[in-house]
Amino acid sequence: MILGIDLGGTKSAALVLHEDGVVVRRVAAPTPAHAGAEALFAFLVGLAQQVRGPETLTGVGVSAGAPADAQNGLVFAAPNLPGWGPEGFPLAARLADVLHLPVQLENDADATALAEWRFGAGQGTKNMAFLTVGTGIGSGLILNGALHRGRRGAGGEVGHIAVVTGPEARSCSCGLRGCLEAYASGPSVTRIAQERGWQGEASGRAVVEAARAGDPICRGALAQAAEHLGAGLATLAMLLDLERIVLGTLAVHAADLLLEPIQQSLRARAWPRLTEGLEVVPAALGDRAQDLAALCAFAPSAPAPSAPTNGGTL
Amino acid sequence: MILGIDLGGTKSAALVLHEDGVVVRRVAAPTPAHAGAEALFAFLVGLAQQVRGPETLTGVGVSAGAPADAQNGLVFAAPNLPGWGPEGFPLAARLADVLHLPVQLENDADATALAEWRFGAGQGTKNMAFLTVGTGIGSGLILNGALHRGRRGAGGEVGHIAVVTGPEARSCSCGLRGCLEAYASGPSVTRIAQERGWQGEASGRAVVEAARAGDPICRGALAQAAEHLGAGLATLAMLLDLERIVLGTLAVHAADLLLEPIQQSLRARAWPRLTEGLEVVPAALGDRAQDLAALCAFAPSAPAPSAPTNGGTL
């Protein structure tokens, strides 16, 4: 069994679970996100000690909602988790010292990509991308049957490739301009709808509901998001020749509004050789994604060869 | 020893060479590029039989200047090699039948990426991109210590990701708009200089020489190419967290004019986390690149761990 830690900007959880994904025990608490690194560390140790039981554990997997250097076990400051500092906090080594277990950590986008690949909508592939489309847009890449880590476990920043150039490109909170995230994250879609005169609640979910009810401003903001998401997927397809792209969060909640226009935009911006047979599907794990991501952070083994269990090309 | 075949749109060669890259014998002839698939095949068989000697050969590597499906040994029609047809010609299997040797083929961008990685400017890396910037812009990706092939050995199409969006985006010969290749290939730079009033010889080399001599139109066209090349590299860096990017062809001939502005543009369009320590270097193999590419198409083994032999960050 594995001890999993899901570190989020709002809420964190610790859990004991079997390697096949069955959860034995789980505790959760609000993250002291704006406390310092030592307070955050003590909070996670507390959660882990609270959840530990009589089971023999083989290791600890940490899915971190912050930039991470998986190879060196570091987490870095993020806007919603500033405490770790810019030089990186050695979370894996510090947890291993206290818990007396081997610890592996992954950025949550990478960990969720592994979880969707092993247990969810990515099963059976060797080359897939998982995109989370929520407060931010991140991704994890499975290439040639393994998580792509690159030089230092960074990369996968599909939310910050430019999808609009020139003077009209929107500024992104990251400091660059024209980023996909500046058009297609939940907050960006909401902001764009508001700029165009929408007066409703300032949340991605409210914009999606209004669009479903026919509000033209919200429909327009989501159509623009879908168009730019398709452009981001086209870049992934042209560079990486993927089998499947799994879309999470907003793309699951609003699949009825987004998936078809995302596909259209993708196919208009990439060669048929690279889009024929390329499946674009919603994530399948739902509420289990974060728990399984923590598991997969420790045990990123290849899935048994198996046919895809999800629906195929949309 | 290996039999190498370098299939180009203008000229092809066959060679016998040692696995360490030393060439024993070499023959070359103009490619009957506009003949049909069977005539092209007979031409390559002729070259191979001409170059064969008493040496015992372990296999045949083909570096193909055409889209290729390495896994299935197919080559496809390209604008400068239309003969192979759109469904793909089973070149590897057909050659193996006639030559009685195992045959492996790669697209030339992938094969040259392997050659630069094993013998040239990519030595010592685990994550690198090789870009050829010539008549077209192609790339080969070495990810996690192996050639990235993707679903069917396509991908690497960095020349056809959009670097300009909106109504002013140039049309690309591939049918898409705003592609990097429409701004930064040799023919595109030449065309852009001509549109801006340049009256000199219509060749990339002439534009480079005029820019070196101070011609403002040619300098401007090359500056624009460098800016967009930097944007393409920024996308690679943000997605793949590379250690090194190796630039061939135009970027070697005009390294004095292009490398510094390419780097500036890259750093303006990607996060410091992903560009710090990222080396952008010219290709190192020069005239040997094509021969070694044919070798590496057959023997794409990992290089022995070794320190980089080239100059490091420019």
Side-chain angles (χ1 to χ4, degrees), chain A residues 283-308:
Chain A
L285 296 177
D287 292 344
R288 298 173 65 217
Q290 293 312 306
D291 291 352
L292 293 172
L295 170 67
C296 291
F298 184 75
S301 57
S306 66

Side-chain angles (χ1 to χ4, degrees), chain B residues 66-91:
Chain B
D69 175 343
Q71 207 167 325
N72 296 303
L74 307 175
V75 284
F76 297 86
N80 58 350
L81 266 173
W84 298 120
E87 310 82 22
F89 181 87
L91 183 59

Side-chain angles (χ1 to χ4, degrees), chain B residues 109-127:
Chain B
D110 283 343
T112 310
L114 285 166
E116 286 287 344
W117 181 50
R118 288 184 60 201
F119 295 105
Q123 284 181 71
T125 62
K126 281 187 74 177
N127 293 280

Side-chain angles (χ1 to χ4, degrees), chain A residues 60-80:
Chain A
V60 182
V62 183
S63 170
D69 174 343
Q71 206 167 328
N72 297 302
L74 306 175
V75 284
F76 297 86
N80 59 349

Side-chain angles (χ1 to χ4, degrees), chain A residues 98-145:
Chain A
V98 175
L99 302 173
H100 304 291
L101 286 167
V103 179
Q104 287 175 34
L105 67 81
E106 294 284 359
N107 166 268
D108 61 353
D110 282 344
T112 311
L114 285 166
E116 287 286 346
W117 182 49
R118 287 184 62 200
F119 296 105
Q123 284 181 73
T125 63
K126 282 188 73 177
N127 293 281
M128 65 155 261
F130 166 75
L131 267 74
T132 169
V133 184
T135 310
I137 296 180
S139 78
L141 303 172
I142 306 292
L143 301 178
N144 195 27

Side-chain angles (χ1 to χ4, degrees), chain A residues 151-152 156 241 273 276, chain B residues 151-152 239 241 273 276:
Chain A
R151 186 166 48 126
R152 289 182 303 195
D241 191 14
R273 289 189 68 209
E276 273 161 16
Chain B
R151 186 166 48 127
R152 289 182 304 195
L239 289 176
D241 191 14
R273 289 189 69 210
E276 273 161 18

Side-chain angles (χ1 to χ4, degrees), chain A residues 228-304:
Chain A
H228 293 313
L229 280 164
L233 301 197
T235 295
L236 288 173
M238 291 292 278
L239 289 177
L240 298 172
D241 191 14
L242 300 168
E243 291 153 63
R244 201 175 298 159
I245 298 172
V246 177
L247 300 175
T249 329
L250 187 60
V252 174
H253 304 316
D256 54 325
L257 296 166
L258 290 174
L259 274 174
E260 187 56 39
I262 287 173
Q263 293 252 17
Q264 279 173 15
S265 170
L266 161 62
R267 287 174 210 290
R269 288 173 169 77
W271 296 349
R273 289 189 68 209
L274 289 152
T275 58
E276 273 161 16
L278 170 60
E279 301 169 333
V280 180
V281 302
L285 296 177
D287 292 344
R288 298 173 65 217
Q290 293 312 306
D291 291 352
L292 293 172
L295 170 67
C296 291
F298 184 75
S301 57

